[in-house]
Amino acid sequence: MNLKSNLIFTLYTIYGILLKGISGQYPLVQNVTVTEGGTANLTCRVEYNDNTSLQWSNPAQQTLFFGDKKALRDNRIELVRATSSELTISISDVTLGDEGLYTCSLFTMPVRTAKAYLTVLGVPEKPEINGLTKPAMEGDHITLTCITQGSKPAADLRWFRNEKEVKGAKEVNASGKTFTVRSSLQLHVDRNDDGVAYTCRVDHVALAQAPQQATEVLEVHYAPRVEIIKSTTVPQEGQYLKLECFSRGNPSPDPVMWTKDGGDLPDLDRIIVEGRELTFTSLNKTDNGTYRCEASNHLGTSSAEYVLYVYDAPTTLPPSTTPPLHPILPDPTVQLSTHASDPTVTGSRDPNALGQHGTDHALIGGVVAVVVFVTLCLIIVLGRYLARHKGTYLTNEAKGADDAPDADTAIINAEGNHAHAEEKKEYFI
């Protein structure tokens, strides 16, 4: 009985060893992805090997290594590891032509094989931006085109205006195993584009660490715009005042020209012109007028005006010992500003003080007009009422006297008319 049991156990053991050998003698490989120009490592393993040789061959079925023996003369292919259970080789400086199925063979009976696919990523070239004219003129329509070649798979192009992404139109064309990608960006140029950086960035799996990009900075020429900035809001006699002519244009409109009331500035020591600044060291009433700043470049001319009215200097009063019953509000002042037209400054009166009492007179006049209008309406209505109720009233004697030759006949006619009083009625409306 023990002999039979031992025999059965031995048979099961042999069967297990055979089964393990059959299942473990299959080569195991993995697909590999590598960037063009990089190094690819191909590894083939078996779990159980009874000293059977392993072999690697390329997509053209050329043997690369048979065990530790090199079969193909290619300096880029090297042996990394060769044992009874593993064969690893490396291919350096990989090209797109190296892409394909590589076969690992285990020389058993029959021969068992496994295939690994080597994927080679085409690295896109640095992008180029075309279509930029320098300088561009305000109002121009231009098209920026970004191009990159040699990508596999096709690269993605993205546009940025400074740091903000903008949308472009993408076009992909195949060129052999690689792709050429274009992206276009339409621009309507204005002065806000001057100095703006437009960047084209290439996104690709082969550029995960260092994306490629190209940048162009727009230079836009445009006509100047002028603004006058004043140092004080309410200029008063004896005060210092500075007017600055701020002009923005490209090319820069320099220098600027100052005039007063359409003519040259008065030749006074108190008025100093330094570049864009007009300075009054001590204001007085003779400085009242319209001051004009003009700037120009080859694209156009622009100007701005400032109406100067010099207010009286404040009078200092002795302090009062009695507090006022009501708070005293300061007189409102009129803010002076730049103008596009040429207002006329006359005399020494404040042009902005006109019409201070006009509101009261207008209110009184309006009330009087309403009272007169209501009175006239009442008179018209009363007159129409009296006209509609006007009538003629006759006595009995008068009724008979119309056709009688004498008084007696009239009385008789009147008495006769009483009989017909109910038949004849007069209505006066």
Side-chain angles (χ1 to χ4, degrees), residues 95-375:
T95 65
L96 294 175
D98 294 324
E99 186 174 75
L101 279 174
Y102 287 75
T103 304
C104 176
S105 302
L106 177 63
F107 286 89
T108 58
M109 293 299 291
V111 177
R112 295 181 174 87
T113 60
K115 296 183 180 296
Y117 195 89
L118 176 60
T119 301
V120 181
L121 302 177
V123 181
E125 297 177 0
K126 184 176 181 179
E128 296 181 358
I129 297 178
N130 299 321
L132 182 64
T133 58
K134 289 187 177 182
M137 300 299 172
E138 185 176 26
D140 286 352
H141 292 269
I142 63 176
T143 301
L144 300 182
T145 303
C146 180
I147 303 176
T148 182
Q149 298 176 338
S151 61
K152 179 183 172 294
D156 187 26
L157 296 180
R158 300 166 64 193
W159 284 100
F160 293 86
R161 185 182 189 273
N162 288 336
E163 299 299 325
K164 183 179 180 180
E165 185 170 0
V166 291
K167 186 71 173 178
K170 182 180 175 181
E171 178 185 348
V172 179
N173 295 310
S175 177
K177 291 186 176 182
T178 62
F179 296 89
T180 299
V181 184
R182 290 180 174 85
S183 181
S184 300
L185 187 64
Q186 303 285 339
L187 298 178
H188 183 201
V189 179
D190 62 22
R191 62 185 60 213
N192 295 324
D193 288 318
D194 186 37
V196 171
Y198 282 88
T199 300
C200 175
R201 181 182 300 172
V202 180
D203 284 347
H204 193 265
V205 63
L207 300 174
Q209 301 298 326
Q212 299 273 24
Q213 65 182 34
T215 301
E216 291 287 352
V217 178
L218 264 65
E219 180 185 357
V220 182
H221 282 191
Y222 52 92
R225 288 180 183 173
V226 176
E227 179 185 4
I228 296 178
I229 301 175
K230 54 189 177 296
S231 62
T232 182
T233 303
V234 184
Q236 297 177 348
E237 279 192 295
Q239 282 188 342
Y240 166 91
L241 174 65
K242 181 174 72 173
L243 303 179
E244 182 178 359
C245 182
F246 178 76
S247 60
R248 185 186 175 199
N250 192 15
S252 178
D254 195 32
V256 299
M257 181 187 304
W258 286 98
T259 59
K260 177 185 178 183
D261 296 330
D264 295 335
L265 293 174
D267 188 12
L268 299 175
D269 295 337
R270 297 180 298 101
I271 301 178
I272 302 172
V273 178
E274 294 181 348
R276 301 175 181 273
E277 296 180 355
L278 175 63
T279 304
F280 300 84
T281 57
S282 179
L283 290 170
N284 61 40
K285 295 288 186 178
T286 62
D287 296 326
N288 289 345
T290 301
Y291 291 83
R292 180 186 179 95
C293 168
E294 184 176 290
S296 62
N297 59 18
H298 71 279
L299 295 176
T301 301
S302 178
S303 63
E305 294 180 348
Y306 174 78
V307 179
L308 174 61
Y309 181 82
V310 180
Y311 291 82
D312 294 332
T315 303
T316 303
L317 299 176
S320 175
T321 57
T322 303
L325 297 177
H326 301 285
I328 300 175
L329 299 176
D331 292 336
T333 59
V334 180
Q335 182 176 354
L336 299 176
S337 61
T338 58
H339 301 275
S341 60
D342 294 327
T344 304
V345 179
T346 59
S348 61
R349 296 178 59 194
D350 185 354
N352 298 300
L354 297 177
Q356 291 178 349
H357 303 289
T359 303
D360 295 337
H361 294 303
L363 181 61
I364 295 173
V367 173
V368 172
V370 171
V371 172
V372 172
F373 178 78
V374 172
T375 303

